[in-house]
Structures are given as structure tokens and as C-alpha cells.
Amino acid sequence: MGQVAVMQPEPQPIVACTVSRDVQFFDLLIEDMEDALGERWGDLGFEDALAFLDQPDADTLEFIAVALNAQDEGDLGLISNVIAAAKAKGLKVILIAEDVSPKALHQLLREGGDEFIPYPLPEGELSQAIDRVLAEEPPAPPAAQEPRNTLKATGDRSGVVIPVQGMAGGVGTTTFAVNFAWELANIDKKNPPRVVILDFGMQFGSVSTFLDMPRREAVLEMLSDTEAMDEDSFMQALLPFESKLYVLTSPADLVPMDIVTPDDIERVIELARTNFDYVVIDMPPVMVEWSQSVLEAAHVYFALTELDMRSAQNTLRLKRALQAEELPFQKLRFVLNRAPKFTDLNGKARVKRMAESLGISIEVQLPDGGKIVTQANDHGAPLSETAAKNPLRKEIAKLALSVHQHNTADVDAAHG
């Protein structure tokens, strides 16, 4: 009986490598790489990676996943060389880090890291990161000329600090913060106050998008070493919007929320407060280590909610947390966005029941501005510039005027 030769399938090319001191320390990474790539990946040590990336066998690679923990911080020079070699070959670099200091992570991101994922890996995050880094990049648009900041430090102010935080994602926090800051900046034509908005949404902050501004490398450099920051370096990190509103954008890179410490945040707020009359802070929808620093520096803290269960539950949890730690919950002023219309009696009753059940006072109700609000944000312009008669814009302008009148009355009383 004749023998039939069995055709062996061609081995699939290796498209990725993990690079680490010992990949066995990252067992979840092994599982996720197998789920995403099957057998089309390999593993290398840091020194082996440098040699391998110089060989023709590395030509099939599309990305490397560099995994490190606190023990590897002494080898940052070697790891940086691996990243540089990968970038020179046109490869994408995903950083997977466990207990690595913000300073070290910032250095590696600047060396060429395209994505950062904390370890242990969140469910499905590696697969999503791979899709993102391998997605075909659209051609870069012509670089827009960055607006120049000619505003000088004065150090003679005692600004009002006004953070804005959403009780849930998507409640309109940044829309409110940007338009509120812009209305304050235009509140007095003869003697306009100096207004700055700080985007503390370190990862996904959108203030720059809503004002059609570039994100600046100078922001991350300043935040990474606030001890060396002075008034001039702070002012140079800001961008002007139509020479009336000044903006500290969120960093250009996706960075961990703890890349800044409470001390860093306190220094930034203090420099903003002493150089501006109003400091509006767009907060992330999470509580982090430095949230307490912002709350304690705040004169009034706007908390945006909607008339839904998630906003109510999160408001109650925040109230309990602040009161348990004896933090100044009384600074919070609750703002209901997309509030029911005046004629919606059922909706008005729901608002009243929500406030009573949470034991809070909803002091401001903002109407739904409709699709034109999203359009204004996408075009990078405040509502007053694109839809001045929009009901949401009118209410934000009224609130800004009220805050300014209250503040100037207090200043007059203090000098009287």
C-alpha cells in the first residue's frame, strides 16, 4: 500500500514579541497574547531584543509589547534602547507596566511608547490596544499654527477656584466648564477678568477639542516636574483662546491618572490662582488621590448631574465618602443638566424627589441645548460664538454673571 505524504502547513510568521526581564512574571499577558495572536508571537529578554531587532527575522514584526515592573526601573536606559530600536524599524510599541513610577513611565512614553496598559491587564484591553496601534493612520493634516501666549505672570491675584465634575460620564461636564469659563472671560468688556481653564482630565480631557486647540508637550513636561515650575514656565504652558481665555490642555499622551501627585496639583492651582481672577477646573469623572487637593482649594465646586439613576447613585456615594472623611461636602453646588422644561410638571416633581432622597439642594437647572451643542463642540467654538440664543448658553451666561457679581461684591466689601 503506497504512502501518502501529508502536506505540512507553512508556519505563520511572527508578527509580535513580548519583551521583558521574564515573561513568566506576566502570566496574564501570555494568555492575552495567545488569545489575540495564537502562535504568531515570540518572547525576548531586553538584551536579546536589541540583537533580534537588528536581524532580518524581525522584518515580519508589527509591534512589540514591553512589560516591566518596579524592579526594572534600574534598567530604563536598556529598555529605552529597545524602544528606540523598535521605532527605528517602524514598529509600534505597547507598554505594559506594573507599579512603575509616573516619572519612569513618562520617560518611556516620550521615547516612543504608542500605548500604555496597566498590569494586571483589564479585560480585553490588550486586544483593543493592538487594534489601535495597527489601525491604518490617516495622513496628518497640515500643522496649524499654534496660538502664541503673550500674557505675562503677575502673581498679584487671588483668584476664585471653581472645579466642575460630572457625577457620571456624558453629563456635559466639559461643555459646561468651557462655556462657563468663556462667559466669565467676557463678562466685563471694560475690565475683563483674567480667566484660565485647567483640563485635569489627564487621559481623555476634551477642553482642547472643544476650543479647537492642539495639545502641548509642554504640559506633560511641566506636570512631571512641578518642583521646578515657576510662574513663567506655567504661563508658557498655557494657550490663549482668542486672547481672552487661557487654557492648560490635558497632556498629549495617554498617561496614568497618578502621574501627578496632590503636591503637584496644589502647586499648579496656586500658580493659577495668583495669576488669574477665575480658575475653572475641568475634573475627570473619577475620584483620584489628588481630588481632595482640588476640593480643598475650591471656593465653589460644581457637581453636574442628570435626572437618572446613575447620577443619583454616584451622588449618594460621593456624599457618603466625603462626609466619612470629614471633607467639605458643603462646597458642592449641584447643577442639573438637561433638566425638564418648565411646563413638564411630572419632570419637575421627579427633580424634587431626587433632591429630597439624596439630601441635597439642586441649585441650578440647565435646559437641554439640543444637537447644536454637540455641533459647537465639534467645531471647537463656545456656544456664544455659534448659537448665542441657545437656551443652554443663556443659562450658563446667567450663572457666570451671578458668580461674578457675587465675587466682585465680596471684593468690594473686603476693601470697604
Side-chain angles (χ1 to χ4, degrees):
M1 191 171 178
Q3 292 183 340
V4 179
V6 179
M7 294 294 292
Q8 296 294 329
E10 287 289 326
Q12 292 183 308
I14 299 297
V15 298
C17 277
T18 57
V19 182
S20 63
R21 177 165 38 88
D22 186 344
V23 76
Q24 297 302 320
F25 293 142
F26 302 91
D27 51 346
L28 295 178
L29 174 59
I30 297 174
E31 294 177 13
D32 282 8
M33 289 290 284
E34 289 175 348
D35 289 344
L37 302 173
E39 297 181 355
R40 295 184 301 149
W41 67 283
D43 172 59
L44 295 166
F46 294 126
E47 293 185 355
D48 295 335
L50 276 177
F52 180 74
L53 289 170
D54 241 356
Q55 298 174 10
D57 289 347
D59 291 345
T60 61
L61 293 183
E62 296 177 354
F63 72 92
I64 63 171
V66 179
L68 67 157
N69 57 27
Q71 295 182 43
D72 298 310
E73 291 201 33
D75 292 322
L76 285 186
L78 175 59
I79 298 171
S80 295
N81 290 339
V82 171
I83 293 174
K87 301 308 289 186
K89 207 168 182 66
L91 305 182
K92 299 294 186 179
V93 178
I94 299 175
L95 298 173
I96 294 111
E98 180 181 25
D99 297 330
V100 174
S101 70
K103 184 177 181 181
L105 188 58
H106 174 218
Q107 177 181 333
L108 297 180
L109 284 167
R110 291 194 63 192
E111 293 290 344
D114 296 290
E115 284 277 344
F116 157 72
I117 312 174
Y119 190 89
L121 299 169
E123 184 72 28
E125 186 61 32
L126 179 64
S127 178
Q128 294 175 27
I130 293 172
D131 290 343
R132 287 194 295 268
V133 299
L134 296 185
E136 185 174 350
E137 297 181 4
Q145 182 139 13
E146 188 175 280
R148 293 186 59 192
N149 179 14
T150 57
L151 192 68
K152 301 298 183 183
T154 60
D156 61 351
R157 310 281 166 138
S158 183
V160 179
V161 179
I162 309 174
V164 182
Q165 181 161 4
M167 294 296 98
V171 298
T173 309
T174 302
T175 297
F176 174 80
V178 166
N179 284 279
F180 178 71
W182 179 246
E183 296 293 344
L184 283 174
N186 289 273
I187 207 79
D188 187 338
K189 303 299 183 184
K190 293 182 179 179
N191 185 27
R194 285 167 59 129
V195 183
V196 65
I197 181 168
L198 311 178
D199 191 346
F200 280 176
M202 299 297 171
Q203 295 183 336
F204 300 113
S206 303
V207 171
S208 59
T209 302
F210 287 12
L211 292 173
D212 193 24
M213 288 180 161
R215 298 173 191 256
R216 305 189 67 200
E217 293 289 341
V219 173
L220 189 53
E221 292 174 8
M222 183 191 76
L223 293 175
S224 299
D225 189 11
T226 61
E227 290 186 7
M229 175 180 63
D230 59 17
E231 287 186 334
D232 290 334
S233 60
F234 171 73
M235 298 301 287
Q236 288 306 308
L238 305 179
L239 284 178
F241 180 76
E242 297 191 5
S243 300
K244 295 179 180 179
L245 175 64
Y246 292 82
V247 182
L248 183 73
T249 70
S250 58
D253 296 318
L254 187 66
V255 298
M257 295 299 292
D258 61 356
I259 197 162
V260 290
T261 66
D263 288 343
D264 293 326
I265 292 296
E266 288 169 15
R267 293 186 189 105
V268 171
I269 293 176
E270 181 61 17
L271 278 177
R273 195 183 66 78
T274 56
N275 284 282
F276 289 89
D277 299 298
Y278 293 103
V279 180
V280 179
I281 304 176
D282 188 18
M283 294 289 287
V286 295
M287 300 302 291
V288 290
E289 184 185 9
W290 43 264
S291 297
Q292 180 177 342
S293 300
V294 178
L295 177 60
E296 290 177 342
H299 293 83
V300 59
Y301 198 114
F302 286 126
L304 259 72
T305 72
E306 284 193 29
L307 194 56
D308 58 20
M309 187 58 71
R310 63 193 186 124
S311 293
Q313 290 177 338
N314 290 343
T315 297
L316 186 59
R317 293 165 68 194
L318 178 62
K319 178 182 178 182
R320 288 173 176 168
L322 295 184
Q323 290 179 340
E325 296 293 327
E326 297 184 350
L327 294 174
F329 178 75
Q330 71 277 6
K331 288 186 178 182
L332 270 63
R333 297 291 182 270
F334 288 92
V335 178
L336 180 65
N337 199 15
R338 304 183 182 99
K341 294 181 179 179
F342 182 74
T343 54
D344 184 358
L345 299 182
N346 182 48
K348 293 291 185 182
R350 288 177 58 206
V351 173
K352 184 179 179 182
R353 288 197 301 271
M354 176 180 173
E356 289 175 348
S357 65
L358 296 175
I360 63 172
S361 173
I362 297 177
E363 301 182 22
V364 180
Q365 296 189 35
L366 301 176
D368 188 341
K371 293 182 179 179
I372 197 168
V373 176
T374 302
Q375 293 169 0
N377 292 339
D378 286 346
H379 284 94
L383 284 171
S384 67
E385 307 302 295
T386 58
K389 296 182 179 180
N390 184 277
L392 176 62
R393 184 262 161 168
K394 289 182 178 179
E395 289 303 313
I396 294 176
K398 287 180 187 177
L399 180 60
L401 179 60
S402 173
V403 168
H404 182 64
Q405 288 176 338
H406 182 78
N407 180 51
T408 51
D410 285 349
V411 171
D412 292 342
H415 286 87

